[in-house]
Amino acid sequence: MDFQQTFFEIFQLPEAYHLDVDQLSSSYLELQKRIHPDNFSSATDTEKRHSLQWATHVNEAFTTLKSPLQRAIYMLEQRGLSIAHNPDLEPAFLMSQIELREELDDISETASEEIDAALSRLDGFKSSVKETLSSLEGSFAVQFDVELAAAEQTTYKMQFMNKLLVAADQLEEQLLDY
Amino acid sequence: MALLQITEPGQAVDPHQRKHAAGIDLGTTNSLIAAVRAGETDTLPDFGGAHLLPSVVRYHTDGSVTVGAKALESAKEDPLNTIVSVKRLMGRGLEDVDTLGDQMPYDFVTKDKKGMPDINVASGPVSPVEVSAEILRNLAHRGEATLAGPLDGVVITVPAYFDDAQRQATKDAATLAHLNVLRLLNEPTAAAVAYGLDSGTEGVIAVYDLGGGTFDISLLRLNRGVFEVLSTGGNSALGGDDFDRAVASWLLAASGIEGEISKGQFRGLMLEARAIKEALSDQASVKVDIDLDGLIVKSEITREIFDELVAPFVGDSIKACRRAVRDAGVGLEDIKHVVLVGGSTRVPTVRAKVASYFHTEPLSNIDPDRVVAIGAAIQANILVGNKSDDEVLLLDVLPLSLGLETMGGLVEKVITRNTAIPVAKAQEFTTYKDGQTAMLIHIVQGERELVSDCRSLAQFELRGIPPMVAGAAKIQVMFQVDADGILSVSAKELSTGVETHIEVKPSYGLTEDEITTMLKASFEYAEADVATRSLTEAKVDTQRVIDAVANAIALDGDRLLSQQERSSLNETLAEVQAIATNSERASEITAASERLAKASDEFASRRMDDSVRQALAGTSLDELSESIADAED
């Protein structure tokens, strides 16, 4: 069993940030069809164990590659870079983060009066965060090949934007009274 | 459905080789068993022709047990010894039982107020796991009688929302009933299997499952024969019983009754409430005039009143749907079908609310009470090895996040909800005192931030850590969740490589020792059987290994084994077969089986690698043919 393969190799994908999500998904499904523990319900314990290990490994590889942020972190780690817990970021970016957080708070505060307006503002907020994220992903793809340090910075920014999206989702959940 | 089965010469399945498999829906109110027979899948009736087995067990003073409709009849006269809705107690603690209030009028006993409580019945204390095992045993007998042979394997369904403790308790019940569990299958997934195979649907399917005691919503995607669970949600304490209770309270209020009523009267009232609920599915109103041991309940209830009474519960279910749709990352417009499961979906207001939320008329052409058992039977038949075409693979997700208790009673999530399973995560810990050799780890399951708001799964004590200065030891704890959603844990000290000892204290489950004791107790019940049964079990288990290895050699021996390896493995195979056939000693047979497993280990590993290679080769070909097809379009 070869656990030394990179996650890209497992799915026979080129080692590049931009990937064909359909191909990733179909390779994933084909692999699971073969190795999933359900195929080994009546097999020996050894086969069951191998199957569990492989299916677990393939799930991890798939989950990592499917997420643009996890994929970026994984690629950096492959190059020997580990992600910092408290990264230094440009003051301008941090300022814009604070502003975005304030906007989110503002949406939350106005929600009690105009719930529909707040929800539609939140929709707008989320799509603009998503746009920023996709442009960061574009930058990462270019930077990764030419300037690793810049790619690392971009990854931190992606982390921030992702957290913002999670916060926006949580707010939406509150507003919709889950 | 195929009328004729056409088989290639030489590939004909020997009818004696065909294995007996069954699907079991272990429900809160009713349970069912189903099987595939002559290509048709259906639930199996008992001798009286009834398919539904009420999930009710009555214990008598002499230790004998009645299960099903007969036990249900006695619920009124003998409420303390007649256990209903035991599923609500599986993997649960006393504090959960307290929140169920009047619904559980039993005499609970716990050791030091912790863990899953036993129920004191006429014959002594019984665990909910034992009660469930009685139900499983009853169904298994029905299955064995109908299929004319012992069951080789079963698939048992559980609510998708069941946590680790509840799943483990279900598996333990199967162990006590001597059943070989091929897989625990989520109920909604089973329902989708029942529909998916029949209609060949592709796309996103929502399964809305409102049973007696649990509500589940699952979103699944069916793509190229793979069922992928996109998200699950629900409420493990919401169901038709809540409707009955709401009706019962309304009846008391409308009849001007206040104050305490007896347990027997309460039971009678609940049965009446359920009858009213069912009648209101096709009547506009129902008149009530009953006498429950002197308690006169007289009123009339209309469907409008009923709809209003149950609206909060239906509303809660729709909220859970909304969350599941969001978690799945799909839009409502992506949902092609909605499948209804569970008797409570017969209630018209439920159907109407579901249709209005999903903007589509839900499917219900398979009996909502039987659809889960039918799906489970289809899957059991595949997993036991009877069928090789039409295969469906079920990829499941973890229903609730797994986390660890950290400082200040907070939860650190280790594996988040809706992660594809099987999954493993390693977490590193260190010591905070010089020379510390043990450490306590508390695992919880749930979405909330405080430990007290989550469900305690287990406490793990790591012992045998080599003494070092504080912070020097690095203990890696590995959390592995298998395809059934059940967690196992192992630990290792990294700097020295010492495996640390783990003592598992399941918060609401049975320990290995308790299960062994219960198994022994069930053996004592029929003492003569003990030796025979363990010998038979050893033989059956070993034969399973022999068949698996022989089959593997036939398929891949040529390609993956050298001449010498092959003959050596064949030799071991023949030796083990001889022992399995002739030996009368269970221990000898088991040892031979282990020897064969060891001898075939390397071969198994090569087959797995080969499978992986072939899977990917297959993809490229499929894609090639697809892109050709696309070009031709």
Side-chain angles (χ1 to χ4, degrees), chain B residues 416-439:
Chain B
T416 52
R417 170 169 69 122
N418 287 329
T419 303
I421 52 175
V423 65
K425 274 270 162 69
Q427 194 92 351
E428 269 183 37
F429 296 90
T430 190
T431 47
Y432 64 94
K433 267 200 217 147
D434 287 346
Q436 186 180 344
T437 57
M439 157 183 311

Side-chain angles (χ1 to χ4, degrees), chain B residues 170-187:
Chain B
T170 306
K171 256 197 150 165
D172 292 345
T175 306
L176 288 184
H178 297 288
L179 291 171
N180 172 33
V181 181
L182 299 164
R183 174 85 124 89
L184 291 183
L185 189 59
N186 288 328
E187 289 162 6

Side-chain angles (χ1 to χ4, degrees), chain B residues 137-355:
Chain B
R137 214 169 278 149
N138 186 292
L139 290 170
H141 285 158
R142 187 193 291 187
E144 284 169 1
T146 317
L147 300 173
L151 294 174
D152 292 290
V154 295
V155 166
I156 300 178
T157 59
V158 291
Y161 217 53
F162 253 22
D163 65 28
D164 178 82
Q166 294 167 303
R167 282 167 199 265
Q168 190 62 58
T170 306
K171 256 197 150 165
D172 292 345
T175 306
L176 288 184
H178 297 288
L179 291 171
N180 172 33
V181 181
L182 299 164
R183 174 85 124 89
L184 291 183
L185 189 59
N186 288 328
E187 289 162 6
T189 313
V193 168
Y195 274 101
L197 286 184
D198 290 347
S199 52
T201 312
E202 298 257 314
V204 179
I205 304 163
V207 183
Y208 179 99
D209 178 354
L210 191 60
T214 53
F215 169 67
D216 276 301
I217 173 73
S218 290
L219 294 191
L220 312 143
R221 178 178 284 136
L222 179 55
N223 181 13
R224 300 190 204 182
V226 177
F227 260 113
E228 195 181 353
V229 179
L230 298 176
S231 68
T232 70
N235 187 333
S236 48
L238 172 70
D241 296 353
D242 294 311
F243 295 5
D244 300 349
R245 228 171 355 268
V247 170
S249 312
W250 186 88
L251 285 176
L252 288 180
S255 313
I257 298 163
E258 283 170 25
E260 296 267 305
I261 61 169
S262 77
K263 281 172 176 173
Q265 287 171 331
F266 178 76
R267 274 300 170 74
L269 186 65
M270 287 293 283
L271 290 178
E272 186 63 26
R274 180 190 293 183
I276 292 168
K277 171 186 75 178
E278 286 168 8
L280 283 173
S281 287
D282 21 59
Q283 293 172 29
S285 80
V286 174
K287 283 204 170 70
V288 191
D289 189 357
I290 47 163
D291 180 350
L292 296 163
D293 299 335
L295 188 74
I296 308 294
V297 179
K298 196 171 174 183
S299 185
E300 179 170 8
I301 182 165
T302 63
R303 192 186 279 175
E304 284 71 36
I305 295 173
F306 175 80
D307 287 357
E308 220 168 279
L309 286 175
V310 304
F313 303 113
V314 184
D316 279 351
S317 79
I318 299 293
K319 275 180 198 168
C321 292
R322 215 182 286 156
R323 180 191 276 272
V325 169
R326 262 247 324 252
D327 283 349
V330 298
L332 279 174
E333 65 282 0
D334 298 321
I335 296 167
K336 297 277 184 304
H337 294 290
V338 181
V339 172
L340 293 183
V341 182
S344 305
T345 61
R346 291 203 177 88
V347 173
T349 180
V350 170
R351 291 193 176 198
K353 295 256 172 69
V354 172

Side-chain angles (χ1 to χ4, degrees), chain A residues 1 10 26 30-34 36 38 42 44 46-47 52 54-56 59 172-173 176-178, chain B residues 183 224 319 322-323 326 383 393 395 421-422 424 480 545 601 604 607-609 614-616 619 623:
Chain A
M1 202 154 315
I10 287 175
S26 71
E30 287 303 325
L31 273 171
Q32 286 290 17
K33 262 192 207 174
R34 302 265 179 160
H36 191 273
D38 274 1
S42 312
T44 63
T46 312
E47 284 182 299
L52 179 64
W54 255 106
T56 301
N59 272 336
E172 190 180 8
E173 222 166 274
L176 291 170
D177 177 35
Y178 278 111
Chain B
R183 174 85 124 89
R224 300 190 204 182
K319 275 180 198 168
R322 215 182 286 156
R323 180 191 276 272
R326 262 247 324 252
L383 294 182
L393 179 63
L395 297 178
I421 52 175
Q480 171 83 57
V545 178
D601 189 279
R607 291 189 76 220
M608 187 68 64
D609 290 345
Q614 282 190 14
L616 291 167
T619 319
E623 273 176 4

Side-chain angles (χ1 to χ4, degrees), chain A residues 1-3 5 8-12 20 22-60 62-63 66 126 166 168-178, chain B residues 19 180 182-183 223-226 228 319-320 322-323 326-327 379 383-385 391-396 417 419-424 480-483 544-546 548-549 552 597-598 600-602 604-605 607-620 622-623:
Chain A
M1 202 154 315
D2 188 5
F3 284 105
Q5 280 182 323
F8 290 97
E9 282 165 355
I10 287 175
F11 300 110
Q12 298 194 336
D20 181 343
D22 287 342
Q23 200 195 333
L24 172 67
S25 299
S26 71
S27 296
Y28 169 71
L29 293 183
E30 287 303 325
L31 273 171
Q32 286 290 17
K33 262 192 207 174
R34 302 265 179 160
I35 63 178
H36 191 273
D38 274 1
N39 296 315
F40 301 89
S41 305
S42 312
T44 63
D45 287 347
T46 312
E47 284 182 299
K48 283 184 186 167
R49 200 182 60 241
H50 285 307
S51 149
L52 179 64
Q53 284 171 346
W54 255 106
T56 301
H57 189 58
V58 166
N59 272 336
E60 188 194 349
F62 177 64
T63 314
K66 201 174 61 172
K126 279 169 69 177
V166 170
D169 279 340
Q170 277 167 354
L171 178 60
E172 190 180 8
E173 222 166 274
Q174 276 173 28
L175 297 186
L176 291 170
D177 177 35
Y178 278 111
Chain B
K19 295 193 170 155
N180 172 33
L182 299 164
R183 174 85 124 89
N223 181 13
R224 300 190 204 182
V226 177
E228 195 181 353
K319 275 180 198 168
R322 215 182 286 156
R323 180 191 276 272
R326 262 247 324 252
D327 283 349
Q379 194 61 16
L383 294 182
V384 84
E391 273 192 19
V392 172
L393 179 63
L394 307 171
L395 297 178
D396 271 334
R417 170 169 69 122
T419 303
I421 52 175
V423 65
Q480 171 83 57
V481 179
D482 68 12
R544 200 177 289 146
V545 178
I546 293 171
V549 174
K598 213 168 165 197
S600 62
D601 189 279
E602 168 64 19
S605 171
R607 291 189 76 220
M608 187 68 64
D609 290 345
D610 184 61
S611 244
V612 170
R613 271 195 299 276
Q614 282 190 14
L616 291 167
T619 319
S620 336
D622 284 351
E623 273 176 4

Side-chain angles (χ1 to χ4, degrees), chain B residues 63 69 102 104 122 126 158 170 213 239 250 278 282 327 333 370 440 452 454 457 466 492 517 524 559:
Chain B
D102 291 347
M104 292 287 164
V126 289
V158 291
T170 306
W250 186 88
E278 286 168 8
D282 21 59
D327 283 349
E333 65 282 0
R370 299 194 201 174
L440 193 67
S452 51
C454 287
L457 284 186
K492 203 191 218 168
T517 312
E524 276 160 21
R559 291 186 303 120

